[in-house]
Every structure is written in C-alpha cells, then in structure tokens.
Amino acid sequence: MQTSATQAGPAAEPAVADLEHAALAWLRAELEDPEITGDDNFLEVGGHSLTYSKLNQHLADTFGVVLDMKTTYDLPLAAAVAAARPAGPADGTR
C-alpha cells in the first residue's frame, strides 16, 4: 500500500493505528457497543454484510482504503485493518 508523490491520490498512506482507531470508533457508534476492541471479531460483535459495506465506504471516503471481506470476517478487527488495501473502482467505493 505504498504511495509516491508522483501518483494521484494522497501523498502518504494512513497509519495503521489511525485506521484502526477510525474503524473501531465507527463500529462502536454503528453497533452501539463502546466495548468493541481490535481483538474482537467483526461478526461476533454483531457486524454483517451491510455493516461491512458501510464501514468500507467510510474507510474509503476517509482514508482511501478498503478491507477484505474474508479477512474482516475471519480475523480480529486489528488484523483486518492492518491488511487494508487501497480503494478503487472495482470496490464500488468510488
């Protein structure tokens, strides 16, 4: 997920900590559960396909990245966020 100054888009990639903080804050508000942490599993805290889609749109709009569905569903939230990739037209987010 490297970006150079000569490419279109942001000049620097977002820090994983910033992505994780934003994703967790969004999920806590969306699912009305202030106890969600990076160690939690997306599905186990109440996430589902619509939540996943809305979270991806939020991350794409804010940071220009999206999460992989399988990774998000299978791994802890922190790991899913660490594996985020740049958003693009194929993601349906732009």
Side-chain angles (χ1 to χ4, degrees):
M1 196 168 87
Q2 294 181 352
T3 310
S4 76
T6 60
Q7 293 175 324
E13 64 185 56
V16 172
D18 293 339
L19 288 174
E20 184 176 342
H21 177 76
L24 291 175
W26 188 92
L27 277 172
R28 289 174 185 143
E30 180 73 13
L31 300 176
E32 298 178 357
D33 183 352
E35 303 296 319
I36 296 172
T37 72
D39 294 328
D40 290 321
N41 175 274
F42 178 81
L43 296 175
E44 290 175 4
V45 298
H48 50 76
S49 59
L50 182 57
T51 309
Y52 169 80
S53 179
K54 290 166 64 178
L55 173 59
N56 256 351
Q57 189 64 57
H58 170 69
L59 293 176
D61 291 346
T62 306
F63 295 100
V65 300
V66 292
L67 305 176
D68 174 74
M69 182 179 276
K70 181 167 178 32
T71 303
T72 304
Y73 285 9
D74 292 346
L75 300 179
L77 289 164
V81 170
R85 59 182 170 69
D91 300 310
T93 56
R94 299 271 175 193

Coordinates of all heavy atoms in Angstrom, one line a residue:
M1 N 0.8 -1.2 0.0 CA 0.0 0.0 0.0 C 0.9 1.2 0.0 O 0.7 2.2 0.7 CB -0.9 -0.1 1.2 CG -2.0 0.9 1.2 SD -3.3 0.6 2.5 CE -2.6 1.6 3.8
Q2 N 1.9 1.3 -0.8 CA 2.8 2.4 -0.9 C 2.3 3.4 -1.9 O 1.7 3.0 -2.9 CB 4.2 2.0 -1.2 CG 4.8 1.1 -0.1 CD 6.2 0.7 -0.5 OE1 6.7 0.9 -1.6 NE2 6.9 0.1 0.4
T3 N 2.5 4.7 -1.6 CA 2.1 5.7 -2.5 C 3.3 6.6 -2.7 O 4.0 6.9 -1.8 CB 1.0 6.5 -1.9 OG1 0.0 5.6 -1.4 CG2 0.4 7.5 -2.8
S4 N 3.5 7.1 -3.9 CA 4.6 8.0 -4.2 C 4.0 9.4 -4.5 O 2.8 9.5 -4.9 CB 5.4 7.5 -5.4 OG 4.8 7.7 -6.6
A5 N 4.8 10.4 -4.4 CA 4.3 11.7 -4.7 C 3.9 11.9 -6.1 O 3.2 12.9 -6.4 CB 5.4 12.7 -4.3
T6 N 4.4 11.1 -7.0 CA 4.0 11.3 -8.4 C 2.7 10.6 -8.8 O 2.2 10.8 -9.9 CB 5.2 10.7 -9.3 OG1 5.3 9.3 -9.1 CG2 6.5 11.4 -9.1
Q7 N 2.2 9.7 -8.0 CA 0.9 9.1 -8.2 C -0.2 10.0 -7.8 O -0.1 10.8 -6.9 CB 0.8 7.8 -7.5 CG 1.8 6.7 -7.9 CD 1.7 5.5 -7.1 OE1 1.5 5.6 -5.9 NE2 1.9 4.3 -7.7
A8 N -1.4 9.8 -8.4 CA -2.6 10.5 -8.0 C -3.0 10.0 -6.6 O -2.8 8.8 -6.3 CB -3.7 10.3 -9.0
G9 N -3.6 10.8 -5.8 CA -4.1 10.4 -4.5 C -3.3 11.0 -3.4 O -2.4 11.9 -3.6
P10 N -3.5 10.5 -2.2 CA -2.8 11.1 -1.0 C -1.3 10.9 -1.1 O -0.8 10.0 -1.7 CB -3.4 10.3 0.2 CG -4.3 9.3 -0.4 CD -4.4 9.4 -1.9
A11 N -0.6 11.8 -0.5 CA 0.9 11.8 -0.6 C 1.4 10.8 0.4 O 2.6 10.3 0.2 CB 1.4 13.2 -0.2
A12 N 0.7 10.4 1.4 CA 1.2 9.4 2.3 C 0.1 8.4 2.7 O -1.0 8.8 2.8 CB 1.8 10.1 3.6
E13 N 0.5 7.2 2.9 CA -0.5 6.2 3.3 C -0.9 6.5 4.8 O -0.1 6.9 5.6 CB 0.0 4.8 3.1 CG 1.2 4.4 4.0 CD 1.7 3.1 3.6 OE1 2.0 2.8 2.5 OE2 1.8 2.3 4.6
P14 N -2.1 6.1 5.2 CA -2.6 6.3 6.5 C -1.9 5.3 7.5 O -1.6 4.2 7.1 CB -4.1 6.1 6.5 CG -4.3 5.3 5.3 CD -3.2 5.6 4.3
A15 N -1.6 5.7 8.7 CA -1.0 4.9 9.7 C -2.1 3.8 10.1 O -3.2 4.1 10.2 CB -0.6 5.7 10.9
V16 N -1.6 2.6 10.3 CA -2.5 1.5 10.7 C -3.2 1.9 12.0 O -4.4 1.6 12.1 CB -1.7 0.2 10.9 CG1 -2.6 -0.9 11.5 CG2 -1.2 -0.3 9.5
A17 N -2.5 2.6 12.9 CA -3.2 2.9 14.2 C -4.3 3.9 13.9 O -5.4 3.8 14.6 CB -2.1 3.6 15.1
D18 N -4.2 4.8 13.0 CA -5.2 5.8 12.6 C -6.4 5.0 12.0 O -7.6 5.3 12.3 CB -4.8 6.8 11.7 CG -3.7 7.8 12.3 OD1 -3.7 7.9 13.5 OD2 -3.0 8.4 11.5
L19 N -6.1 4.1 11.1 CA -7.2 3.3 10.5 C -7.9 2.5 11.6 O -9.2 2.4 11.6 CB -6.6 2.3 9.5 CG -6.1 2.9 8.2 CD1 -5.4 1.8 7.4 CD2 -7.2 3.5 7.4
E20 N -7.2 1.8 12.5 CA -7.8 1.0 13.5 C -8.7 1.9 14.4 O -9.8 1.5 14.7 CB -6.8 0.3 14.3 CG -7.4 -0.6 15.3 CD -6.4 -1.5 16.1 OE1 -5.2 -1.6 15.7 OE2 -6.8 -2.0 17.2
H21 N -8.2 3.0 14.8 CA -8.9 3.9 15.7 C -10.2 4.4 15.0 O -11.3 4.3 15.6 CB -8.1 5.1 16.0 CG -8.8 6.2 16.8 ND1 -9.1 6.0 18.2 CD2 -9.4 7.3 16.5 CE1 -9.8 7.0 18.6 NE2 -10.0 7.8 17.6
A22 N -10.2 4.7 13.7 CA -11.3 5.2 12.9 C -12.3 4.1 12.7 O -13.5 4.2 12.9 CB -10.9 5.8 11.6
A23 N -11.8 2.9 12.4 CA -12.7 1.7 12.2 C -13.4 1.3 13.5 O -14.6 1.1 13.5 CB -12.0 0.5 11.6
L24 N -12.7 1.3 14.6 CA -13.3 0.9 15.9 C -14.3 2.0 16.3 O -15.4 1.7 16.8 CB -12.2 0.7 16.9 CG -11.4 -0.5 16.7 CD1 -10.2 -0.6 17.8 CD2 -12.2 -1.8 16.8
A25 N -14.0 3.3 16.2 CA -14.9 4.3 16.6 C -16.2 4.2 15.8 O -17.3 4.4 16.3 CB -14.2 5.7 16.4
W26 N -16.0 4.0 14.5 CA -17.2 3.9 13.6 C -18.1 2.7 14.0 O -19.3 2.8 14.1 CB -16.8 3.8 12.1 CG -17.9 3.8 11.2 CD1 -18.5 5.0 10.6 CD2 -18.8 2.8 10.8 NE1 -19.5 4.6 9.9 CE2 -19.8 3.3 9.9 CE3 -18.8 1.4 11.0 CZ2 -20.7 2.5 9.4 CZ3 -19.7 0.6 10.5 CH2 -20.7 1.1 9.6
L27 N -17.4 1.5 14.2 CA -18.2 0.3 14.6 C -18.8 0.5 16.0 O -20.0 0.0 16.1 CB -17.2 -0.9 14.7 CG -17.0 -1.6 13.3 CD1 -15.9 -2.6 13.5 CD2 -18.2 -2.2 12.8
R28 N -18.1 1.1 16.9 CA -18.7 1.3 18.3 C -20.0 2.1 18.1 O -21.0 1.8 18.8 CB -17.7 2.0 19.2 CG -16.6 1.1 19.6 CD -15.6 1.9 20.4 NE -14.4 1.1 20.7 CZ -13.2 1.5 20.7 NH1 -12.9 2.8 20.5 NH2 -12.2 0.7 21.0
A29 N -20.0 3.2 17.3 CA -21.1 4.0 17.1 C -22.2 3.3 16.4 O -23.4 3.3 16.8 CB -20.8 5.3 16.4
E30 N -21.9 2.6 15.3 CA -22.8 1.9 14.4 C -23.5 0.8 15.2 O -24.7 0.6 15.0 CB -22.1 1.4 13.2 CG -23.0 0.7 12.2 CD -24.0 1.5 11.4 OE1 -23.8 2.8 11.4 OE2 -24.9 1.0 10.8
L31 N -22.8 0.0 15.9 CA -23.3 -1.1 16.6 C -23.7 -0.8 18.1 O -24.2 -1.7 18.8 CB -22.3 -2.3 16.6 CG -21.9 -2.8 15.2 CD1 -20.9 -3.9 15.3 CD2 -23.1 -3.3 14.4
E32 N -23.6 0.5 18.5 CA -23.9 0.9 19.8 C -23.3 0.0 20.9 O -24.0 -0.4 21.8 CB -25.4 1.0 20.0 CG -26.1 2.0 19.0 CD -27.6 2.0 19.1 OE1 -28.2 1.3 19.8 OE2 -28.2 2.9 18.4
D33 N -22.0 -0.2 20.7 CA -21.2 -1.0 21.7 C -19.9 -0.4 21.9 O -18.9 -0.6 21.2 CB -21.1 -2.4 21.1 CG -20.4 -3.4 22.1 OD1 -19.9 -2.9 23.1 OD2 -20.3 -4.6 21.8
P34 N -19.7 0.4 23.0 CA -18.5 1.0 23.3 C -17.4 0.1 23.7 O -16.2 0.5 23.9 CB -18.8 2.0 24.4 CG -20.0 1.4 25.1 CD -20.8 0.7 24.0
E35 N -17.7 -1.2 23.9 CA -16.7 -2.1 24.4 C -15.9 -2.8 23.2 O -15.0 -3.6 23.5 CB -17.3 -3.2 25.2 CG -18.1 -2.6 26.4 CD -17.2 -1.9 27.4 OE1 -16.1 -2.4 27.7 OE2 -17.6 -0.8 27.9
I36 N -16.2 -2.6 22.0 CA -15.5 -3.2 20.9 C -14.1 -2.8 20.9 O -13.7 -1.6 21.0 CB -16.2 -2.9 19.5 CG1 -17.6 -3.4 19.5 CG2 -15.4 -3.4 18.3 CD1 -18.4 -2.9 18.3
T37 N -13.2 -3.8 20.7 CA -11.7 -3.6 20.6 C -11.2 -4.2 19.4 O -11.8 -5.0 18.7 CB -11.0 -4.2 21.8 OG1 -11.0 -5.6 21.7 CG2 -11.6 -3.8 23.1
G38 N -9.9 -4.0 19.1 CA -9.2 -4.6 18.0 C -9.1 -6.1 18.1 O -8.8 -6.8 17.1
D39 N -9.2 -6.6 19.3 CA -9.1 -8.1 19.5 C -10.4 -8.8 19.1 O -10.4 -10.0 19.0 CB -8.8 -8.4 20.9 CG -7.4 -7.9 21.3 OD1 -6.5 -7.9 20.4 OD2 -7.1 -7.5 22.5
D40 N -11.5 -8.0 19.0 CA -12.8 -8.6 18.7 C -12.9 -9.1 17.2 O -12.3 -8.5 16.3 CB -13.9 -7.7 19.0 CG -14.1 -7.4 20.5 OD1 -14.0 -8.4 21.2 OD2 -14.3 -6.3 20.9
N41 N -13.8 -10.0 17.0 CA -14.1 -10.5 15.6 C -15.3 -9.7 15.1 O -16.3 -9.5 15.9 CB -14.4 -12.0 15.6 CG -14.9 -12.4 14.3 OD1 -16.1 -12.4 14.0 ND2 -14.0 -12.9 13.5
F42 N -15.3 -9.2 13.9 CA -16.3 -8.4 13.3 C -17.7 -9.0 13.4 O -18.7 -8.4 13.8 CB -16.0 -8.1 11.9 CG -17.0 -7.3 11.1 CD1 -17.0 -5.9 11.2 CD2 -17.9 -8.0 10.2 CE1 -18.0 -5.2 10.5 CE2 -18.8 -7.2 9.5 CZ -18.8 -5.9 9.6
L43 N -17.8 -10.3 13.1 CA -19.1 -11.0 13.1 C -19.6 -11.2 14.5 O -20.8 -11.1 14.8 CB -19.0 -12.3 12.3 CG -18.7 -12.2 10.8 CD1 -18.5 -13.6 10.3 CD2 -19.8 -11.5 10.1
E44 N -18.7 -11.5 15.4 CA -19.0 -11.8 16.8 C -19.6 -10.6 17.5 O -20.3 -10.7 18.5 CB -17.9 -12.5 17.5 CG -17.6 -13.9 17.0 CD -16.4 -14.5 17.7 OE1 -15.8 -13.9 18.6 OE2 -16.0 -15.6 17.3
V45 N -19.2 -9.4 17.1 CA -19.7 -8.2 17.8 C -21.0 -7.7 17.1 O -21.5 -6.7 17.6 CB -18.6 -7.0 17.8 CG1 -17.4 -7.4 18.6 CG2 -18.3 -6.6 16.4
G46 N -21.5 -8.4 16.1 CA -22.7 -8.0 15.5 C -22.6 -7.5 14.1 O -23.6 -7.0 13.5
G47 N -21.4 -7.5 13.5 CA -21.3 -7.0 12.2 C -21.9 -8.0 11.2 O -22.0 -9.2 11.5
H48 N -22.3 -7.5 10.0 CA -22.9 -8.3 9.0 C -22.6 -7.6 7.6 O -21.8 -6.6 7.6 CB -24.4 -8.5 9.2 CG -25.2 -7.2 9.4 ND1 -25.4 -6.3 8.4 CD2 -25.6 -6.7 10.6 CE1 -26.1 -5.3 8.9 NE2 -26.2 -5.5 10.2
S49 N -23.1 -8.1 6.6 CA -22.7 -7.6 5.2 C -23.0 -6.2 5.0 O -22.2 -5.4 4.4 CB -23.3 -8.5 4.1 OG -24.7 -8.4 4.2
L50 N -24.1 -5.7 5.5 CA -24.4 -4.2 5.3 C -23.5 -3.4 6.2 O -23.0 -2.4 5.7 CB -25.9 -3.9 5.7 CG -26.3 -2.5 5.5 CD1 -26.1 -2.0 4.1 CD2 -27.8 -2.3 5.9
T51 N -23.2 -3.8 7.4 CA -22.3 -3.1 8.3 C -20.9 -3.1 7.6 O -20.2 -2.0 7.6 CB -22.1 -3.8 9.6 OG1 -23.4 -4.0 10.2 CG2 -21.3 -3.0 10.6
Y52 N -20.5 -4.2 7.0 CA -19.2 -4.3 6.3 C -19.1 -3.3 5.2 O -18.2 -2.5 5.0 CB -19.0 -5.7 5.8 CG -17.8 -5.9 4.9 CD1 -16.5 -5.9 5.4 CD2 -18.0 -5.9 3.5 CE1 -15.4 -6.0 4.5 CE2 -17.0 -6.0 2.6 CZ -15.7 -6.1 3.1 OH -14.6 -6.2 2.3
S53 N -20.2 -3.2 4.4 CA -20.2 -2.3 3.3 C -20.2 -0.9 3.7 O -19.4 -0.1 3.1 CB -21.5 -2.6 2.5 OG -21.6 -1.7 1.4
K54 N -20.9 -0.5 4.7 CA -20.9 0.8 5.2 C -19.6 1.2 5.8 O -19.1 2.3 5.7 CB -22.0 1.0 6.2 CG -23.4 1.0 5.6 CD -24.6 0.8 6.6 CE -24.7 2.0 7.5 NZ -25.9 1.8 8.4
L55 N -18.9 0.3 6.6 CA -17.6 0.5 7.1 C -16.6 0.7 6.0 O -15.8 1.7 6.1 CB -17.2 -0.6 8.0 CG -15.7 -0.6 8.6 CD1 -15.5 0.7 9.4 CD2 -15.4 -1.8 9.4
N56 N -16.7 -0.1 5.0 CA -15.7 0.1 3.9 C -15.9 1.4 3.2 O -14.9 2.1 2.8 CB -15.9 -1.1 2.9 CG -14.8 -2.1 3.0 OD1 -13.8 -1.9 3.7 ND2 -14.9 -3.2 2.3
Q57 N -17.1 1.8 3.0 CA -17.4 3.1 2.4 C -16.8 4.3 3.3 O -16.2 5.2 2.8 CB -18.9 3.4 2.2 CG -19.2 4.6 1.4 CD -18.6 4.5 -0.1 OE1 -19.0 3.6 -0.8 NE2 -17.8 5.4 -0.5
H58 N -17.0 4.2 4.6 CA -16.4 5.1 5.5 C -14.9 5.2 5.4 O -14.3 6.3 5.3 CB -16.8 4.8 6.9 CG -16.1 5.6 8.0 ND1 -16.3 7.0 8.1 CD2 -15.2 5.3 8.9 CE1 -15.6 7.4 9.1 NE2 -14.9 6.4 9.6
L59 N -14.2 4.0 5.4 CA -12.8 4.0 5.3 C -12.3 4.4 3.9 O -11.2 5.1 3.8 CB -12.3 2.6 5.6 CG -12.5 2.1 7.0 CD1 -12.0 0.7 7.2 CD2 -11.8 3.0 8.0
A60 N -13.0 4.1 2.9 CA -12.6 4.6 1.5 C -12.8 6.1 1.4 O -11.9 6.8 0.9 CB -13.5 3.9 0.5
D61 N -13.8 6.7 2.0 CA -14.0 8.1 1.9 C -13.0 8.9 2.8 O -12.6 9.9 2.4 CB -15.4 8.5 2.4 CG -16.5 8.0 1.4 OD1 -16.2 7.7 0.2 OD2 -17.7 8.0 1.8
T62 N -12.7 8.3 3.9 CA -11.8 9.0 4.9 C -10.3 8.7 4.6 O -9.5 9.7 4.7 CB -12.1 8.5 6.3 OG1 -13.5 8.7 6.5 CG2 -11.4 9.3 7.3
F63 N -10.0 7.5 4.2 CA -8.5 7.1 4.1 C -8.2 6.6 2.8 O -7.0 6.4 2.5 CB -8.2 6.1 5.2 CG -8.3 6.6 6.6 CD1 -9.4 6.3 7.4 CD2 -7.3 7.3 7.2 CE1 -9.5 6.7 8.7 CE2 -7.4 7.8 8.5 CZ -8.5 7.5 9.2
G64 N -9.1 6.3 1.9 CA -8.8 5.8 0.6 C -8.4 4.3 0.6 O -7.7 3.8 -0.3
V65 N -8.9 3.6 1.6 CA -8.6 2.1 1.7 C -9.9 1.4 2.0 O -10.9 1.9 2.4 CB -7.6 1.8 2.9 CG1 -6.3 2.5 2.7 CG2 -8.2 2.2 4.2
V66 N -9.8 0.1 1.7 CA -10.9 -0.9 2.0 C -10.4 -2.1 2.7 O -9.2 -2.4 2.6 CB -11.7 -1.2 0.7 CG1 -12.5 0.0 0.2 CG2 -10.8 -1.9 -0.3
L67 N -11.3 -2.8 3.3 CA -11.0 -4.1 4.0 C -11.4 -5.2 3.1 O -12.3 -5.1 2.3 CB -11.8 -4.2 5.3 CG -11.6 -3.0 6.3 CD1 -12.5 -3.2 7.5 CD2 -10.1 -2.9 6.7
D68 N -10.7 -6.3 3.2 CA -11.1 -7.6 2.6 C -12.1 -8.3 3.4 O -12.0 -8.4 4.6 CB -9.8 -8.4 2.4 CG -10.1 -9.8 1.9 OD1 -10.4 -9.9 0.7 OD2 -10.2 -10.8 2.7
M69 N -13.2 -8.7 2.7 CA -14.3 -9.3 3.4 C -13.9 -10.6 4.2 O -14.2 -10.7 5.4 CB -15.5 -9.6 2.5 CG -16.7 -10.2 3.2 SD -18.1 -10.6 2.1 CE -18.8 -9.0 2.0
K70 N -13.2 -11.5 3.6 CA -12.9 -12.7 4.3 C -12.0 -12.4 5.5 O -12.2 -13.0 6.6 CB -12.2 -13.7 3.3 CG -11.8 -15.0 4.0 CD -11.4 -16.0 3.0 CE -10.9 -17.4 3.6 NZ -11.5 -17.8 4.8
T71 N -11.0 -11.6 5.3 CA -10.1 -11.2 6.4 C -10.9 -10.6 7.5 O -10.7 -10.9 8.7 CB -9.0 -10.3 5.9 OG1 -8.3 -10.9 4.9 CG2 -8.0 -9.9 7.0
T72 N -11.8 -9.7 7.2 CA -12.6 -9.0 8.2 C -13.5 -9.9 8.9 O -13.7 -9.8 10.1 CB -13.5 -7.9 7.5 OG1 -12.6 -7.0 6.8 CG2 -14.3 -7.1 8.5
Y73 N -14.1 -10.9 8.2 CA -15.0 -11.9 8.9 C -14.2 -12.9 9.7 O -14.7 -13.4 10.7 CB -15.8 -12.6 7.8 CG -17.0 -11.8 7.3 CD1 -17.1 -10.4 7.5 CD2 -17.9 -12.4 6.4 CE1 -18.2 -9.7 6.9 CE2 -18.9 -11.7 5.9 CZ -19.1 -10.3 6.2 OH -20.1 -9.6 5.6
D74 N -13.0 -13.3 9.3 CA -12.3 -14.4 9.9 C -11.3 -14.0 11.0 O -11.1 -14.7 12.0 CB -11.5 -15.2 8.9 CG -12.4 -15.9 7.9 OD1 -13.6 -16.1 8.2 OD2 -11.8 -16.4 6.9
L75 N -10.7 -12.8 10.9 CA -9.6 -12.4 11.9 C -10.1 -11.3 12.8 O -11.2 -10.7 12.6 CB -8.4 -11.9 11.1 CG -7.8 -12.8 10.1 CD1 -6.6 -12.2 9.4 CD2 -7.3 -14.1 10.8
P76 N -9.3 -11.1 13.9 CA -9.7 -9.9 14.8 C -9.7 -8.6 14.0 O -9.0 -8.5 12.9 CB -8.5 -10.0 15.8 CG -8.0 -11.4 15.8 CD -8.2 -11.8 14.4
L77 N -10.4 -7.7 14.4 CA -10.5 -6.4 13.7 C -9.2 -5.7 13.5 O -9.0 -5.2 12.4 CB -11.4 -5.4 14.5 CG -12.9 -5.8 14.5 CD1 -13.7 -5.1 15.6 CD2 -13.5 -5.5 13.2
A78 N -8.3 -5.8 14.4 CA -7.0 -5.1 14.3 C -6.2 -5.7 13.1 O -5.6 -5.0 12.3 CB -6.1 -5.2 15.5
A79 N -6.3 -7.1 12.9 CA -5.6 -7.7 11.8 C -6.3 -7.4 10.5 O -5.6 -7.2 9.5 CB -5.6 -9.2 12.0
A80 N -7.6 -7.3 10.5 CA -8.3 -6.9 9.3 C -7.9 -5.5 8.8 O -7.7 -5.3 7.6 CB -9.8 -7.1 9.5
V81 N -7.8 -4.6 9.7 CA -7.5 -3.2 9.4 C -6.0 -3.2 8.9 O -5.7 -2.4 8.0 CB -7.7 -2.3 10.6 CG1 -7.2 -0.9 10.4 CG2 -9.2 -2.2 10.9
A82 N -5.2 -3.9 9.6 CA -3.7 -3.9 9.2 C -3.6 -4.4 7.7 O -2.6 -4.0 7.1 CB -2.9 -4.7 10.1
A83 N -4.5 -5.2 7.2 CA -4.5 -5.8 5.9 C -5.2 -4.9 4.9 O -5.4 -5.3 3.7 CB -5.0 -7.2 5.9
A84 N -5.7 -3.7 5.3 CA -6.4 -2.9 4.3 C -5.6 -2.6 3.1 O -4.4 -2.5 3.2 CB -6.8 -1.6 5.1
R85 N -6.3 -2.4 2.0 CA -5.7 -2.1 0.7 C -6.3 -0.8 0.1 O -7.4 -0.4 0.5 CB -5.8 -3.3 -0.2 CG -7.2 -3.6 -0.5 CD -7.3 -4.9 -1.5 NE -8.6 -5.4 -1.6 CZ -9.6 -4.8 -2.2 NH1 -9.4 -3.6 -2.7 NH2 -10.8 -5.3 -2.3
P86 N -5.6 -0.2 -0.8 CA -6.1 1.0 -1.5 C -7.5 0.7 -2.1 O -7.7 -0.3 -2.7 CB -5.1 1.4 -2.5 CG -3.8 0.7 -2.0 CD -4.3 -0.5 -1.3
A87 N -8.4 1.7 -2.0 CA -9.7 1.6 -2.6 C -9.6 1.9 -4.1 O -8.7 2.6 -4.5 CB -10.7 2.5 -1.9
G88 N -10.5 1.4 -4.8 CA -10.5 1.7 -6.3 C -11.9 1.4 -6.9 O -12.8 1.0 -6.2
P89 N -12.0 1.6 -8.2 CA -13.3 1.5 -8.8 C -13.9 0.1 -8.7 O -15.1 -0.1 -8.6 CB -13.0 1.8 -10.3 CG -11.7 2.5 -10.3 CD -11.0 2.1 -9.1
A90 N -13.1 -1.0 -8.7 CA -13.6 -2.3 -8.5 C -14.2 -2.6 -7.2 O -15.0 -3.5 -7.0 CB -12.4 -3.3 -8.7
D91 N -14.0 -1.7 -6.2 CA -14.6 -1.9 -4.9 C -16.0 -1.3 -4.8 O -16.7 -1.5 -3.8 CB -13.7 -1.2 -3.8 CG -12.3 -1.8 -3.8 OD1 -12.2 -3.0 -3.7 OD2 -11.3 -1.0 -3.8
G92 N -16.4 -0.6 -5.8 CA -17.7 0.1 -5.7 C -17.7 1.2 -4.8 O -18.8 1.7 -4.3
T93 N -16.5 1.7 -4.4 CA -16.5 2.8 -3.4 C -16.2 4.1 -4.0 O -16.2 5.1 -3.3 CB -15.4 2.5 -2.3 OG1 -14.1 2.3 -3.0 CG2 -15.7 1.2 -1.5
R94 N -15.9 4.2 -5.2 CA -15.5 5.5 -5.8 C -16.4 5.7 -7.0 O -16.9 4.9 -7.7 CB -14.1 5.5 -6.3 CG -13.1 5.3 -5.1 CD -12.8 6.6 -4.6 NE -12.0 6.4 -3.4 CZ -11.7 7.3 -2.5 NH1 -12.2 8.4 -2.6 NH2 -11.0 7.0 -1.5

